[in-house]
Amino acid sequence: MLTTLNTSYTDTRAADLAWTLGREPLPALATLDLELDGAKLQLRLLGASHQVLLEQQRVSCSETVACIPGSSTPLPLGVAKRVGDWEYEFAARVEALSPGSFAGRAQELLALVSDHPNGLAGVFPGSPHAFTALLAQRHEGQVHWRTWHAYPQDGQLVATRTRVGTSTTRGRRSSLSGV
């Protein structure tokens, strides 16, 4: 699903993104509710980036990657944590692209996510390449999601990848293993 976000572009630099786990739901500009083989997932676009809420077997997980005033947790390259009986893995990277490469990559990602039944993308006013996009799937008993945060003014694209699953599925890799 592709939407135009009715807000000003508030997360204007990749370096301002912060990561938090377990944050309460923040006000969302757009949401997509999914059920993936018993896992309830809500993809949320915020004015300051994204939040994913996951609930399965009475265990919940909330991931927020956004520009949060007062946050002291910068965007990490990788995180591995235990959440209840789940293993949570997060990875992020920042790509620096030339203006032509950035525009092409932005169009490719927006087409991929907006055409996918488990995808949510929001374009910010002012630039067709200023966007946040999320794509989720369930694979081998685990829930995976990828996100992209585009900063056309700096030619930066932040890509994240998250995997949440039980320890019995540890070591398996999915098609989303590359950020």
Side-chain angles (χ1 to χ4, degrees):
M1 179 172 80
L2 178 63
T3 185
T4 298
L5 301 172
N6 190 17
T7 188
S8 60
Y9 190 43
T10 58
D11 66 330
T12 57
R13 292 178 351 127
D16 292 339
L17 285 175
W19 167 87
T20 57
L21 193 61
R23 194 175 218 10
E24 70 283 348
L26 296 171
L29 300 172
T31 62
L32 179 63
D33 292 311
L34 301 170
E35 181 143 347
L36 304 174
D37 294 328
K40 292 181 181 178
L41 197 65
Q42 186 178 67
L43 306 179
R44 302 168 59 84
L45 294 174
L46 313 175
S49 272
H50 90 261
Q51 187 172 52
V52 176
L53 307 177
L54 170 64
E55 186 177 324
Q56 180 178 313
Q57 299 170 347
R58 287 177 257 139
V59 179
S60 62
C61 177
S62 166
E63 172 189 281
T64 306
V65 172
C67 298
I68 302 168
S71 177
S72 60
T73 307
L75 189 64
L77 294 177
V79 173
K81 286 187 160 263
R82 188 170 264 314
V83 178
D85 292 335
W86 295 344
E87 290 182 4
Y88 169 91
E89 291 179 3
F90 171 87
R93 72 180 168 117
V94 179
E95 292 179 64
L97 302 166
S98 69
S101 295
F102 189 94
R105 184 80 170 125
Q107 289 173 339
E108 173 186 285
L109 288 169
L110 286 171
L112 169 74
V113 174
S114 64
D115 290 342
H116 197 285
N118 298 342
L120 175 63
V123 177
F124 290 89
S127 171
H129 302 132
F131 68 91
T132 299
L134 299 94
L135 182 63
Q137 74 174 32
R138 185 160 180 114
H139 183 74
E140 294 183 349
Q142 300 176 337
V143 179
H144 301 256
W145 60 87
R146 293 188 63 179
T147 73
W148 297 271
H149 306 259
Y151 302 94
Q153 70 281 7
D154 296 327
Q156 291 184 321
L157 182 67
V158 177
T160 75
R161 148 183 79 77
T162 301
R163 178 195 68 82
V164 180
T166 60
S167 60
T168 59
T169 56
R170 185 173 176 80
R172 294 183 183 172
R173 293 289 179 218
S174 82
S175 60
L176 292 180
S177 60
V179 174

